[in-house]
Amino acid sequence: ATAAAEAEAAAEEAAEAALLAASPDGWLRSILDELQQSVEELSPASARRLRAELARDHTPFAPAWRASFADVTAHGVCGVCGADLSAGPLVPAQRARLREGLLAAAAARGPLHGLALRAFGEWVSRRGYKYVVDGANVAYRNQNYDGGRFSLEQVGLLLDELRRRSGGAAPLLVLPKVYLTARLVPNHTQPRVVPSKERAAYSAAEAAIAKRLRGSEHVWAVPDGSNDDWYWMLATLVLADSGGGGGGGAVR
């Protein structure tokens, strides 16, 4: 086992050396990407060392690369170069804090809500979903106009498309229970200043979609009184931690 580990480490070092020789910029980008994804925050000492290393004239990156301390705006714009900075994935420590925060919020709503969310997380951890769909958000998309309504047809179209992109693998749909079981479903669109609280019946096509979803093992009906955002957010965190869907970066 030790020899195999040493051989693997040597192969990685050789690959890095080859990349550095062929493309210094590519090598540095790969290192910085790995740093971004694995370290929550650089210590001041590490940041100073990185800046000093890139400032040395004999490095293969000079003069194209320089490191500077910079302020970043609330919109993610670098105060030094003016570039729009891409959002990085949450590192494990951040995911753990967010996960505990979601479980605590559910428990604060009531013991049963906390237990239900925890059970959902354990269930998701045993599955390898690539996509997690916030059904209510999809159904209300582009519906904020007079006559707009909760559209289960939009949900059905998205599920079909994601299944096609995944080679037939079903995505996970998270949806409040009321949209699957009620004869009249809520309508929370906002065509005016005061949100509409009217209820409406599904069309025949939507009723057929609801029936199909009720029988699907890939749909989680969120209990009444719970926040469905807790569920889809927890699902993405659990899947990222367990490597489901090819890793956290691939879960959407």
Side-chain angles (χ1 to χ4, degrees):
T2 302
E6 291 178 351
E8 183 177 353
E12 290 179 356
E13 290 181 5
E16 283 197 14
L19 178 59
L20 175 59
S23 174
D25 281 2
W27 178 85
L28 183 59
R29 286 184 185 278
S30 70
I31 294 297
L32 293 177
D33 285 344
E34 182 178 349
L35 188 67
Q36 181 189 42
Q37 295 179 29
S38 60
V39 178
E40 181 175 355
E41 183 178 359
L42 278 179
S43 68
S46 295
R48 288 193 297 270
R49 181 176 179 181
L50 176 62
R51 182 175 64 172
E53 287 296 320
L54 290 177
R56 293 162 57 187
D57 291 336
H58 65 274
T59 66
F61 317 111
W65 288 84
R66 286 290 184 270
S68 301
F69 292 108
D71 292 324
V72 179
T73 71
H75 300 290
V77 177
C78 175
V80 172
C81 65
D84 291 326
L85 304 180
S86 59
L90 297 178
V91 300
Q94 292 172 322
R95 292 199 300 269
R97 288 200 299 271
L98 181 54
R99 181 174 179 171
E100 290 307 310
L102 292 171
L103 292 171
R109 181 74 60 90
L112 293 181
H113 292 294
L115 290 173
L117 184 61
R118 191 175 295 277
F120 168 75
E122 293 172 355
W123 177 82
V124 170
S125 69
R126 299 190 294 270
R127 294 169 173 260
Y129 289 110
K130 182 176 182 180
Y131 296 100
V132 178
V133 177
D134 174 8
N137 191 26
V138 173
Y140 280 121
R141 182 172 176 80
N142 296 329
Q143 294 295 320
N144 284 340
Y145 60 88
D146 286 325
R149 58 193 292 275
F150 182 93
S151 173
L152 200 59
E153 288 191 72
Q154 291 183 173
V155 176
L157 289 171
L158 179 61
L159 294 178
D160 291 343
E161 173 61 19
L162 294 180
R163 185 185 287 270
R164 184 190 67 79
R165 293 187 185 186
S166 301
L172 170 62
L173 172 66
V174 173
L175 195 64
K177 181 180 178 181
V178 64
Y179 292 110
L180 294 170
T181 60
R183 187 176 65 85
L184 298 176
V185 298
N187 175 23
H188 296 310
T189 57
Q190 300 182 20
R192 295 171 293 279
V193 175
V194 179
S196 170
K197 299 297 183 183
E198 300 174 353
R199 289 178 174 258
Y202 280 141
S203 65
E206 288 176 316
I209 294 173
K211 181 178 180 180
R212 172 166 59 90
L213 295 178
R214 285 195 297 271
S216 172
E217 63 176 331
H218 305 293
V219 177
W220 193 274
V222 177
D224 295 336
S226 284
N227 188 330
D228 56 308
D229 289 338
W230 298 338
Y231 283 77
W232 69 258
M233 291 174 69
L234 182 62
T236 61
L237 295 171
V238 170
L239 290 169
D241 286 336
S242 64
V251 178
R252 309 187 196 283

